[in-house]
């Protein structure tokens, strides 16, 4: 999986980089660190005249800086700078760069400065997700450095709705890479009139085991049905399981709806991003392009 991680030059915007590198390495893909250059704004900010030549000089400096960042982390990858065109939104530049660089997934931090400063909650990352077929790996405020010792482990949460299965399909494609592990999770939250914990858990496990058949090695996929704990929500249950199994990322579809969970991926993903030391991979309703390089 080729992963393009966006940067605005700030340290905070690079918090997704180690996780993007881990995913690319685990799937045999390429890592690209990318930055959008607005010639008018950025050249002036650097004390340069606004000209194509000045923009190219600035782009060269930025590429050198990003290459040094990759070298400092000992990550294999390359740097790319995209020029923002007239009347082009930053989101459009990011998506154009992703297509030009052959990316199968994007990685972004939920905080930054400059062009990407508003990030996930209402700006670039959300717009990217809304307009792209690519999955977006988002690093939240409490992101931790990934474990590089164990095999890559992706936890996929589903509520059983058709839309929430897009993340499952993407995980099945990622699982084609040797050594990648997957855990499928469906949280049980007691509701009035349900059949009780034993019956509901058994039914959920049956559903998850059916989904396992779409994976290259079904026997290697773990299926779990945790229960919502007292004073905790679905996000807490998922985070607890992710910690227990040693997951490297949590995947969710972005349009999962159910009567029980109500906009499952929206509220749950946002809640997890505030608390999770793991990145959250948000998968749109048409993620096929994210599977083409696997």
């Amino acid at each position: 999986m080729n992963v393009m991680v966006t940067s605005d030059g700030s340290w905070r915007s690079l918090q997704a980089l180690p996780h993007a590198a881990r995913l690319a390495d685990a799937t045999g893909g390429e890592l690209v660190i990318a930055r959008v250059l607005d010639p008018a704004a950025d050249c002036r900010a650097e004390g340069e005249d606004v000209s194509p030549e000045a923009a190219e000089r600035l782009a060269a400096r930025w590429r050198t800086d990003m290459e040094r960042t990759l070298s400092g982390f000992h990550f294999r990858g390359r740097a790319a700078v995209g020029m923002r065109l007239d009347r082009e939104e930053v989101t459009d530049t990011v998506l154009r760069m992703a297509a030009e660089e052959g990316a199968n997934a994007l990685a972004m931090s939920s905080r930054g400065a400059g062009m990407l400063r508003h990030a996930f909650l209402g700006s670039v990352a959300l717009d990217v997700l809304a307009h792209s077929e690519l999955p977006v790996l988002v690093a939240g405020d409490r992101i931790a450095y990934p474990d590089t010792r164990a095999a890559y482990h992706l936890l996929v949460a589903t509520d059983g709705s058709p839309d929430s299965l897009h993340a499952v399909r993407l995980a099945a494609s990622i699982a084609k890479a040797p050594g990648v592990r997957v855990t499928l999770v469906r949280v049980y939250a007691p509701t009035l009139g349900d059949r009780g914990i034993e019956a509901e858990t058994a039914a959920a496990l049956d559903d998850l085991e059916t989904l396992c058949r779409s994976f290259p090695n079904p026997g290697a996929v773990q299926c779990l049905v945790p229960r919502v704990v007292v004073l905790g929500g679905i996000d807490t249950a998922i985070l607890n399981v992710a910690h227990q199994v040693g997951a490297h990322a949590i995947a969710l579809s972005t349009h999962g709806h159910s009567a029980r969970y109500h906009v499952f991926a929206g509220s749950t993903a946002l809640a997890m991003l505030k608390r999770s030391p793991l990145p959250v991979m948000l998968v749109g309703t048409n993620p096929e392009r994210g599977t083409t390089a696997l």
Side-chain angles (χ1 to χ4, degrees):
M1 173 174 276
N2 299 332
V3 186
M4 188 180 89
V5 56
T6 59
S7 171
D8 60 16
S10 69
W11 173 81
R12 291 183 69 87
S13 72
L14 291 174
Q15 290 179 309
L17 178 60
H19 296 274
R22 189 74 178 85
L23 176 60
D25 183 65
T27 55
E30 183 180 39
L31 174 68
V32 179
I33 179 172
R35 187 172 178 183
V36 174
L37 192 156
D38 184 335
D42 292 320
C43 287
R44 289 194 182 99
E46 296 285 336
E48 296 269 10
D49 61 291
V50 180
S51 67
E53 295 76 17
E56 287 298 337
R57 288 195 299 270
L58 181 56
R61 291 204 298 271
W62 282 7
R63 278 191 292 269
T64 298
D65 289 343
M66 290 188 289
E67 288 166 356
R68 287 172 178 163
T69 297
L70 290 171
S71 178
F73 278 105
H74 303 290
F75 294 153
R76 292 176 297 176
R78 57 187 177 83
V81 176
M83 297 287 181
R84 185 182 183 186
L85 305 178
D86 289 341
R87 299 184 179 87
E88 187 177 52
E89 298 294 333
V90 176
T91 296
D92 296 327
T93 310
V94 170
L95 295 179
R96 174 168 56 81
M97 290 185 69
E100 293 170 353
E101 302 299 333
N104 306 112
L106 289 164
M108 309 182 81
S109 297
S110 63
R111 292 293 182 272
M115 296 287 279
L116 301 180
R117 63 187 177 276
H118 297 114
F120 183 76
L121 294 177
S123 189
V124 176
L126 191 60
D127 287 344
V128 166
L129 189 66
H131 295 93
S132 175
E133 297 177 350
L134 302 180
V136 182
L137 190 73
V138 184
D141 287 342
R142 298 190 180 182
I143 198 72
Y145 200 86
D147 182 1
T148 58
R149 298 166 298 178
Y152 193 82
H153 194 153
L154 181 64
L155 184 146
V156 185
T158 172
D159 65 357
S161 66
D163 281 341
S164 74
L165 301 182
H166 291 293
V168 177
R169 297 188 188 102
L170 181 66
S173 183
I174 292 174
K176 295 176 183 176
V180 172
R181 300 172 58 198
V182 174
T183 294
L184 297 180
V185 171
R186 183 168 173 181
V187 178
Y188 167 64
T191 57
L192 185 65
D194 71 19
R195 296 169 293 175
I197 184 170
E198 291 186 4
E200 295 291 345
T201 298
L205 278 174
D206 285 343
D207 289 344
L208 293 179
E209 288 168 0
T210 298
L211 294 178
C212 285
R213 298 172 190 165
S214 64
F215 282 75
N217 183 9
V221 180
Q222 185 178 26
C223 298
L224 298 174
V225 182
R227 183 179 182 181
V228 170
V229 298
V230 177
L231 301 180
I234 296 170
D235 58 307
T236 300
I238 293 172
L239 289 173
N240 286 344
V241 173
H243 174 72
Q244 292 165 9
V245 302
H248 288 86
I250 300 168
L252 295 169
S253 296
T254 58
H255 293 83
H257 296 260
S258 72
R260 290 185 176 183
Y261 299 149
H262 183 57
V263 196
F264 173 75
S267 58
T268 302
L270 292 177
M272 284 194 294
L273 277 172
K274 295 177 182 179
R275 304 170 47 213
S276 177
L278 304 176
V280 178
M281 181 182 288
L282 301 174
V283 185
T285 57
N286 188 23
E288 285 79 3
R289 195 178 155 214
T291 68
T292 54
L294 297 178

